[in-house]
Amino acid sequence: MYSKMKKEAAAAAVVSQNGSLNGSQNGLSHSMAALGLDSAESAKAALPDPTADENGGEENDVKVDIKRGMDTATFRRVGKQMVDYVADYLENIGDRPVLPNVQPGYLRDLLPGAAPERPEDFEKVMEDVESKIMPGITHWNHPNFHAYYPSLNSYPSILGDLLSSAIGCVGFSWIASPAATELEVIVCDWMVKAMDLPSHFLSTSETGGAVIHGTATESTLTCMLAARERAIKDWLKEHPESGYFDAFSRLVCYSTDQTHSMIVRNASFIGIEIRRLHLPEGRTSLNRKEFVQAVEEDKAKGRIPFFVCGSFGTTSSCDFDPVEEIGPVCMSERIWLHIDAAYAGAFLFCPEYRPLMRGIEYADSFNFNPHKMMHVNFDCSALFLRCVEDLFDGLKEDLLSGLKLMKIFKEQGIPDYRHWEIPLGRRFRALKIWFVLRSMGLQGLRKSLRHHVQMADHFAERMGADPEFEVLTKSLGLVTFRVKDTDAVNALLYNLICDDGRIHLNAAETGNPPTYYLRFVCTSHAEQKDVDFAFDVIKSLTARLRSRRLSLSEVQAEREKMLNNLAQQRRITSTG
């Protein structure tokens, strides 16, 4: 306590000497004397040294470059070592187990409870990466990774991200880094042309344009905000006696029970009612009759249908909503049609898959993730818009109206991308796309995508030729299958695969009543020998399963475990 009082008095004396503290100098001198401080100089001596750390060391003794975190010579040395580490990791990733064998909380026991006060050698950091971090990594680019949807990377993309990190710009406006803005416009136009998307998505079109976000969830939320404001504006024009919040309360959007879960979260975020249309048994995509019926029901109740999310490759089975059927309905009812093509969109680089997108000309927005199948590492999500002005109105600011922003964009051909998204700060993501497109070329991308499909075809053939299994669907690089048995038996097989750990895949259920099945996704990292290895693992575990006789209680227990696994997957499937 005395030490604390002494420091406080010393601080008061110094401040008083500088004329920043009002009060009685005599009283202050008395207090100083009582604490054994006879002058301002002794008071200064009693103050704590601001350069001393908690362990008694001096910051001036710390050998660290406060500009860059390490000196340039060290960075050159360890940077080259890191490139070698990354190359070795990706080249030999198949030698590691695809799934980590750790328990929740494992890392807390291995790392200190507080950050280090003194700098540590980078070699020590990398030792801990290999001994502590890597054992807890699920290796998404492993040849035995067949879960979720892919998140492909590539050396060109990694290098693009490295350079982007070095540049370190926050490209919220053109002047914040002109090249970052202009390259984004250019690569988005390149993708529109290479994928044969409607020309109204080009930046040079009368009303359209494109932007790069982080994830499909962010892009979809942005479009829902734009659609919300457009619908309210339309309603108030026809019902001027109504108010904004009256119109807001009437809004309703649509998806099916196969649409990605992000749509439910986003509707909750913006306070909008959502109708999840439940599909009948044997169907995994929406049809026109069901959609029209739902719209008419809601209009009869005084609601305002304003947004529908169509799936171009559903999460569970990679099915496609018939956009050519629901598109005209959306146009006549002025319902915003958003196409979520997070995974399957990249296949439009290949001409043979473009018939899958029939009706895309009706879409108000189209979104796909280059970080899934385009070898552009996470995060990177491209959003293409028919009318950018609607987006500006949805993300409106008081300073500039959507009309003014639109005029500036189209006159100059240069956007201020902070008006195109929810966050104001943004990364230079276009650089890694540019690196990939130039390093691989469109021919290289198409070759990778076709390999992906060929490997899925091979797996489906192996499964279809075995009387033990049935193939439910095969779409692009995804195969869904199950053992010809009960849901509980299939759940047990899935649990055996997870416990075995040699391959990684997911399970899902669709239909009404639901059918439980397993999902097998191929990537460009998997070759035919890897697909055969996965089939052999599944086959051997099925044989082990058949050798067991399950009691009724075991079947019920497996059913409960299956439901818990599915619930957990729903919580973590949102990869964007």
Side-chain angles (χ1 to χ4, degrees), residues 51-53 57-66 69 117-120:
T51 66
D53 66 29
E58 297 292 329
E59 284 184 1
N60 293 334
D61 295 334
V62 175
K63 295 181 180 179
V64 63
D65 188 317
I66 61 172
E117 283 289 340
R118 310 287 291 182
E120 299 182 20

Side-chain angles (χ1 to χ4, degrees), residues 152-209:
L152 301 182
N153 63 12
S154 63
Y155 291 134
S157 180
I158 292 169
L159 292 173
D161 242 0
L162 175 63
L163 180 55
S164 175
S165 297
I167 293 171
C169 68
V170 184
F172 50 83
S173 66
W174 178 82
I175 195 59
S177 229
T181 296
E182 297 194 20
L183 186 62
E184 186 161 337
V185 175
I186 291 167
V187 297
C188 286
D189 282 350
W190 280 7
M191 289 189 289
V192 170
K193 296 172 183 177
M195 300 166 73
D196 197 25
L197 297 177
S199 60
H200 58 243
F201 290 145
L202 288 168
S203 66
T204 53
S205 68
E206 185 176 350
T207 62

Side-chain angles (χ1 to χ4, degrees), residues 44-150:
K44 288 182 179 180
L47 280 171
D49 184 351
T51 66
D53 66 29
E54 294 182 0
N55 297 322
E58 297 292 329
E59 284 184 1
N60 293 334
D61 295 334
V62 175
K63 295 181 180 179
V64 63
D65 188 317
I66 61 172
K67 294 181 180 179
R68 306 284 181 233
M70 64 174 58
D71 62 80
T72 301
T74 302
F75 176 71
R76 290 182 188 277
R77 176 174 55 82
V78 300
K80 292 172 183 176
Q81 292 173 0
M82 178 60 78
V83 169
D84 287 340
Y85 182 88
V86 169
D88 289 342
Y89 165 71
L90 292 175
E91 183 70 18
N92 303 304
I93 194 171
D95 296 338
R96 299 175 184 265
V98 62
L99 277 176
N101 184 23
V102 296
Q103 297 299 316
Y106 90 98
L107 193 57
R108 185 170 292 277
D109 294 333
L110 299 178
L111 297 181
E117 283 289 340
R118 310 287 291 182
E120 299 182 20
D121 290 337
F122 197 74
E123 285 76 5
K124 174 62 176 174
V125 176
M126 288 307 299
E127 287 176 7
D128 285 348
V129 165
E130 189 60 38
S131 63
K132 298 179 174 62
I133 302 301
M134 281 299 178
I137 294 294
T138 299
H139 301 286
W140 281 62
N141 290 286
H142 197 289
N144 295 332
F145 184 94
H146 305 289
Y148 314 110
Y149 278 128

Side-chain angles (χ1 to χ4, degrees), residues 466 468-469 483 485 488-503 533-550 554 558 561:
D466 194 305
E468 193 83 50
F469 305 100
V483 179
D485 212 311
V489 170
N490 277 276
L492 181 56
L493 173 60
Y494 174 65
N495 291 330
L496 285 175
I497 292 171
C498 291
D499 293 340
D500 179 79
R502 285 178 288 172
I503 63 173
F533 173 76
F535 176 82
D536 291 341
V537 169
I538 296 169
K539 178 70 175 176
S540 64
L541 293 176
T542 303
R544 186 192 306 176
L545 174 64
R546 293 300 194 194
S547 67
R548 294 179 53 186
R549 291 186 177 181
L550 298 179
E554 286 179 310
E558 290 302 328
K561 189 173 182 181

Side-chain angles (χ1 to χ4, degrees), residues 184 211-226 260 262-263 265-266 269-270 307 338 340 342 365 367 369 371 378-383 385 391 395 417-427 429 574-576:
E184 186 161 337
V211 60
I212 300 173
H213 288 162
T215 67
T217 302
E218 178 187 349
S219 292
T220 304
L221 177 58
T222 302
C223 292
M224 292 178 77
L225 290 169
H260 196 282
M262 68 178 174
I263 192 70
R265 300 180 69 216
N266 287 346
F269 291 159
I270 65 174
F307 182 93
H338 176 71
D340 170 30
S365 51
N367 170 237
N369 288 343
H371 68 233
F378 188 85
D379 59 3
C380 189
S381 188
L383 173 63
L385 298 141
L391 190 67
L395 302 173
Y417 274 128
R418 70 180 184 272
H419 301 299
W420 295 55
E421 61 184 15
I422 295 168
L424 297 178
R426 55 200 327 274
R427 300 178 63 234
R429 296 186 181 96
S574 182
T575 60

